[in-house]
Amino acid sequence: MAGRAARLVLLAGAAALASGSQGDREPVYRDCVLQCEEQNCSGGALNHFRSRQPIYMSLAGWTCRDDCKYECMWVTVGLYLQEGHKVPQFHGKWPFSRFLFFQEPASAVASFLNGLASLVMLCRYRTFVPASSPMYHTCVAFAWSGRGASGVCVKAD
């Protein structure tokens, strides 16, 4: 019991020390985001932002705040490079240029292919494994909850 409590205290202490990525802690970045939000994300400026934001960006859920973070990330990266420093991470990720509404297109493609492979495997599982098998429903429920593939595959008789 004492060992468990000691581990919990150590874990809580480690969590308290965590303060985000280098880029997140950078005062230039924080000030830039605050200033951008004040200027662009309220009142008439927010309406202007929304009117010029491409429809695919709004459908993907990109907000004015997200746009400020993205733009300020590149301002900070520029300053780091200008000073001869290595590029920092922001929000636990390396900075990538946005393509359409994907900030990390390679990661998005890899995630899509992973989901597609999972869907194919779920379809095969449902086709070849009898529903009376032990754990059948557990495996199918797990696949549905993890990939959103419910009702897509049709079980062969």
Side-chain angles (χ1 to χ4, degrees):
M1 185 69 172
R4 178 182 258 176
R7 279 186 253 146
L8 185 60
V9 168
L10 284 174
L11 181 62
L17 293 174
S19 57
S21 302
Q22 176 64 37
D24 303 348
R25 295 188 308 261
E26 190 62 48
V28 171
Y29 173 76
R30 290 176 173 227
D31 292 343
C32 178
V33 171
L34 286 173
Q35 186 177 17
C36 178
E37 287 178 343
E38 287 175 4
Q39 291 177 352
N40 301 318
C41 300
S42 61
L46 181 59
N47 291 334
H48 177 68
F49 168 80
R50 289 178 179 155
S51 69
R52 65 179 171 81
Q53 183 184 33
I55 188 78
Y56 59 85
M57 294 288 284
S58 61
L59 290 175
W62 279 84
T63 64
C64 182
R65 178 175 169 77
D66 295 329
D67 204 54
C68 284
K69 287 180 179 180
Y70 178 77
E71 296 299 329
C72 291
M73 174 185 70
W74 287 113
V75 167
T76 308
V77 165
L79 292 173
Y80 263 70
L81 293 175
Q82 185 179 345
E83 296 290 323
H85 299 290
K86 293 190 298 185
V87 174
Q89 286 187 335
F90 294 83
H91 309 288
K93 300 175 186 174
W94 295 107
F96 286 94
S97 293
R98 190 165 54 199
F99 174 72
L100 296 176
F101 53 84
F102 298 108
Q103 189 166 339
E104 298 179 33
S107 176
V109 169
S111 293
F112 173 76
L113 292 175
N114 185 36
L116 188 61
S118 296
L119 177 64
V120 168
M121 293 310 296
L122 173 62
C123 290
R124 286 185 182 179
Y125 182 83
R126 290 183 65 188
T127 299
F128 295 112
V129 176
S132 59
S133 296
M135 299 297 290
Y136 172 86
H137 296 291
T138 302
C139 290
V140 171
F142 179 76
W144 284 355
S145 66
R147 303 291 175 219
S150 63
V152 175
C153 304
V154 177
K155 185 170 177 358
D157 292 312

